[in-house]
Amino acid sequence: MISIGHPLVLHNRLLLLNCNPSFFPSTTRRSPSFTIRYSSTVRERELGSELYASAPFPPIKAAKRVVLVRHGQSTWNEEGRIQGSSDFSVLTKKGEAQADTSRQMLIDDAFDVCFSSPLIRSKRTAEIIWGAREDELITDSDLREIDLYSFQGLLKHEGKAKFGAAFRQWQLDAANFNIDGHYPVRELWARARSCWDKILAHESKSVLVVAHNAVNQALVATAIGLGTEYFRILLQSNCGVSVLDLTPRPEGGSPLICLNRLNQTPNSPIAASGGRKASERIILVCHGATQSSTEASVSNSGDLPMNMLGIIQSQKTAELLLDLKVQEAADCLGADCVPRYLEMKQIEYLDVESILQQSNRDATEVSGLKSGWLNEYDDRITSTIWHQSEKAWQSLLSELSDDAEPEKIVVVVGHPAIHIALMGHCLNLTKDWMGSFHLDAGSISVIDFPDGPTGRGVIRCINYTAHLGRWSIPITRSIVDDENF
């Protein structure tokens, strides 16, 4: 453990920030992986996961990108009223503004078609985002929000008072929640799977889907093979954007599917509200581009200096982490300034570059822009990364489990491959899912623990890059011609 200055206690939070030289722009050297921490202790977690065995997806002829957007804030969102598939709420002024921000974020993207829920709040969001485009806007009733039957229209405290045990089951065991003779989450998963058949049957390469919180969760989950027990694990904020890439297999059959990003919002994911409140959090920061790599690649070549893009990415990330209020006393984040009140800890299990260097591939780099790039490595490499990452994950949970502080945050700086594996462990998956996730250099992913480090992690966002500004990779960048990007 290396400490710089003294830990700063701020708002009852012990703030101990990683000082990886690759992370702060005071140097151009990318050192081995570190953690940035605010806490600590290892505990085993038993999630009892059952993966979703849905029917295989139909084959596709060409690569397809599907962009999911949740509607903007509605009047019933604002009131805290249970909406379900009812159609009595409309967008608030804030919701209209959120939709317009999404429109601006996606204005230069060439979508071929837009699918929308027919419910007013979603359809209005789609109309704002779609703007003056002349291409099709298709409403599909299967994209409506989850059917919650007798719950719909109730304020949350009313639902608790009126339905008691059923409401508690909805909160704690939604996958098995039953009301009015229905299992809403199970029905939703079946409906989402049906939606995918219609989306994939459309002759288009770039698809926009505007819908709702629960149905977007189900679309993401069914696409990558996760079951109803993952409800509320993949967060969807108002106007949050998620991206899925589907690539045809040479031999035919169900396409390869990769979650390129989850829940990207215009606002900082560090300061964002929404979802259950969590006092423990892990923030995964992918290091910046190195001198051996390009804007479109991730280096496997070990400890190398960052290039200019990597320096910019690191500086932008450092600025974003100011939302943690880690260094109110620091004067700046310029090239000659290192934030104060930092404590650095190195975890050897986070260093995977030496493993990637053992690859038999002729190239020393794998395209960091190509979704599912970990699929290009042989089983020996991914197995080694997976087993090492399990030790790293337990170390991180240990860092979170120190009961000395009420609020704990661990920030981890490392290679995208280790972060993908860590998210897999969070979701209780196997190494076979590693190719189902994508991370770019300089990106941020956030995992919350609303029930503490012994409970399930909730993914707040994956591959967030909006903080990189003009240096970020566009949300709907073409996946057909990556090399020319």
Side-chain angles (χ1 to χ4, degrees):
M1 180 81 65
I2 301 174
S3 298
I4 301 176
H6 300 285
L8 171 64
V9 179
L10 192 63
H11 304 305
N12 297 319
R13 180 185 301 170
L14 179 61
L15 302 174
L16 305 171
L17 185 62
N18 171 305
C19 189
N20 183 349
S22 73
F23 177 69
F24 297 111
S26 56
T27 176
T28 62
R29 194 75 180 170
R30 187 180 62 75
S31 296
S33 304
F34 291 89
T35 61
I36 307 173
R37 76 181 182 88
Y38 313 101
S39 71
S40 198
T41 124
V42 179
R43 297 176 188 170
E44 292 292 331
R45 301 189 309 148
E46 298 179 0
L47 301 183
S49 171
E50 295 178 4
L51 298 177
Y52 185 66
S54 65
F57 275 41
I60 56 176
K61 297 178 182 179
K64 187 185 292 279
R65 171 161 283 192
V66 179
V67 177
L68 308 176
V69 182
R70 182 188 174 189
H71 64 77
Q73 185 195 61
S74 71
T75 49
W76 281 18
N77 285 151
E78 189 176 40
E79 294 172 19
R81 197 174 292 277
I82 300 170
Q83 297 185 107
S85 58
S86 64
D87 201 16
F88 300 107
S89 65
V90 298
L91 294 185
T92 62
K93 290 183 178 180
K94 179 179 179 180
E96 295 260 352
Q98 289 171 330
D100 189 64
T101 299
S102 295
R103 179 190 65 81
Q104 296 175 46
M105 189 163 58
L106 301 172
I107 196 167
D108 294 326
D109 298 304
F111 293 107
D112 300 314
V113 63
C114 175
F115 288 88
S116 170
S117 160
L119 303 185
I120 294 170
R121 57 192 184 273
S122 175
K123 188 177 179 183
R124 177 57 183 152
T125 302
E127 290 170 346
I128 292 172
I129 295 174
W130 205 236
R133 290 181 175 90
E134 297 180 357
D135 299 297
E136 269 187 300
L137 196 161
I138 302 170
T139 57
D140 184 347
S141 63
D142 279 347
L143 287 172
R144 70 186 184 277
E145 184 57 301
I146 185 172
D147 298 316
L148 289 177
Y149 305 99
S150 295
F151 273 14
Q152 294 181 175
L154 298 176
L155 293 169
K156 292 176 183 177
H157 70 84
E158 294 173 339
K160 184 176 180 180
K162 185 175 182 179
F163 289 94
F167 189 83
R168 180 172 176 80
Q169 186 180 37
W170 165 240
Q171 294 293 317
L172 301 179
D173 186 22
N176 296 309
F177 164 65
N178 180 298
I179 187 170
D180 299 336
H182 294 271
Y183 289 89
V185 177
R186 298 179 191 178
E187 293 175 351
L188 177 66
W189 249 244
R191 181 151 49 88
R193 179 61 189 80
S194 174
C195 286
W196 276 116
D197 285 341
K198 289 175 268 189
I199 292 170
L200 297 186
H202 195 278
E203 292 292 332
S204 55
K205 293 183 178 179
S206 183
V207 181
L208 175 65
V209 177
V210 182
H212 307 266
N213 177 12
V215 72
N216 281 8
Q217 289 183 52
L219 287 169
V220 171
T222 52
I224 60 176
L226 304 181
T228 53
E229 71 275 20
Y230 286 90
F231 183 65
R232 297 199 185 104
I233 298 300
L234 305 169
L235 200 65
Q236 298 286 306
S237 303
N238 287 122
C239 280
V241 176
S242 301
V243 180
L244 288 143
D245 287 329
L246 298 93
T247 308
R249 296 178 188 267
E251 68 276 13
S254 185
L256 293 168
I257 303 176
C258 181
L259 180 59
N260 183 279
R261 68 186 68 222
L262 177 80
N263 200 34
Q264 174 142 319
T265 60
N267 299 323
S268 164
I270 307 300
S273 58
R276 294 172 60 200
K277 179 177 174 56
S279 58
E280 289 89 11
R281 168 177 288 182
I282 292 176
I283 301 173
L284 304 175
V285 178
C286 290
H287 64 62
T290 65
Q291 289 187 9
S292 73
S293 62
T294 65
E295 294 182 30
S297 63
V298 177
S299 171
N300 306 330
S301 304
D303 185 13
L304 292 171
M306 288 191 297
N307 59 23
M308 184 55 67
L309 176 63
I311 296 170
I312 293 171
Q313 289 168 334
S314 297
Q315 185 168 11
K316 290 292 183 181
T317 302
E319 292 169 358
L320 179 68
L321 291 181
L322 284 173
D323 283 336
L324 293 175
K325 299 181 180 178
V326 171
Q327 48 146 15
E328 290 187 350
D331 296 324
C332 66
L333 274 170
D336 298 319
C337 176
V338 176
R340 303 166 191 168
Y341 310 108
L342 309 180
E343 188 167 346
M344 176 179 69
K345 183 173 183 179
Q346 183 174 353
I347 295 179
E348 60 178 325
Y349 300 126
L350 292 172
D351 185 6
V352 296
E353 279 89 342
S354 59
I355 300 173
L356 294 171
Q357 285 179 292
Q358 298 170 19
S359 172
N360 294 326
R361 291 172 51 81
D362 292 334
T364 58
E365 298 171 355
V366 174
S367 173
L369 288 178
K370 185 176 181 180
S371 282
W373 53 270
L374 275 171
N375 287 325
E376 298 184 21
Y377 286 99
D378 59 56
D379 185 72
R380 175 178 58 89
I381 297 296
T382 54
S383 293
T384 304
I385 292 174
W386 182 257
H387 292 309
Q388 179 168 307
S389 65
E390 183 175 9
K391 298 175 183 177
W393 180 246
Q394 294 302 326
S395 295
L396 296 177
L397 293 181
S398 175
E399 294 291 333
L400 276 183
S401 300
D402 183 4
D403 295 330
E405 292 297 327
E407 295 188 17
K408 313 165 194 81
I409 300 175
V410 175
V411 182
V412 187
V413 181
H415 193 281
I418 188 66
H419 290 337
I420 288 173
L422 291 173
M423 288 190 294
H425 288 294
C426 172
L427 295 172
N428 202 31
L429 302 177
T430 68
K431 71 175 182 64
D432 297 326
W433 264 259
M434 288 176 67
S436 298
F437 300 92
H438 175 84
L439 295 175
D440 291 305
S443 69
I444 286 177
S445 303
V446 179
I447 304 171
D448 284 344
F449 294 86
D451 297 313
T454 59
R456 298 188 71 177
V458 174
I459 309 294
R460 176 167 289 278
C461 69
I462 294 175
N463 201 29
Y464 178 89
T465 58
H467 64 292
L468 301 178
R470 60 179 293 192
W471 295 277
S472 65
I473 294 173
I475 287 178
T476 54
R477 168 194 49 79
S478 170
I479 59 173
V480 177
D481 195 14
D482 282 339
E483 291 183 0
N484 292 334
F485 171 69

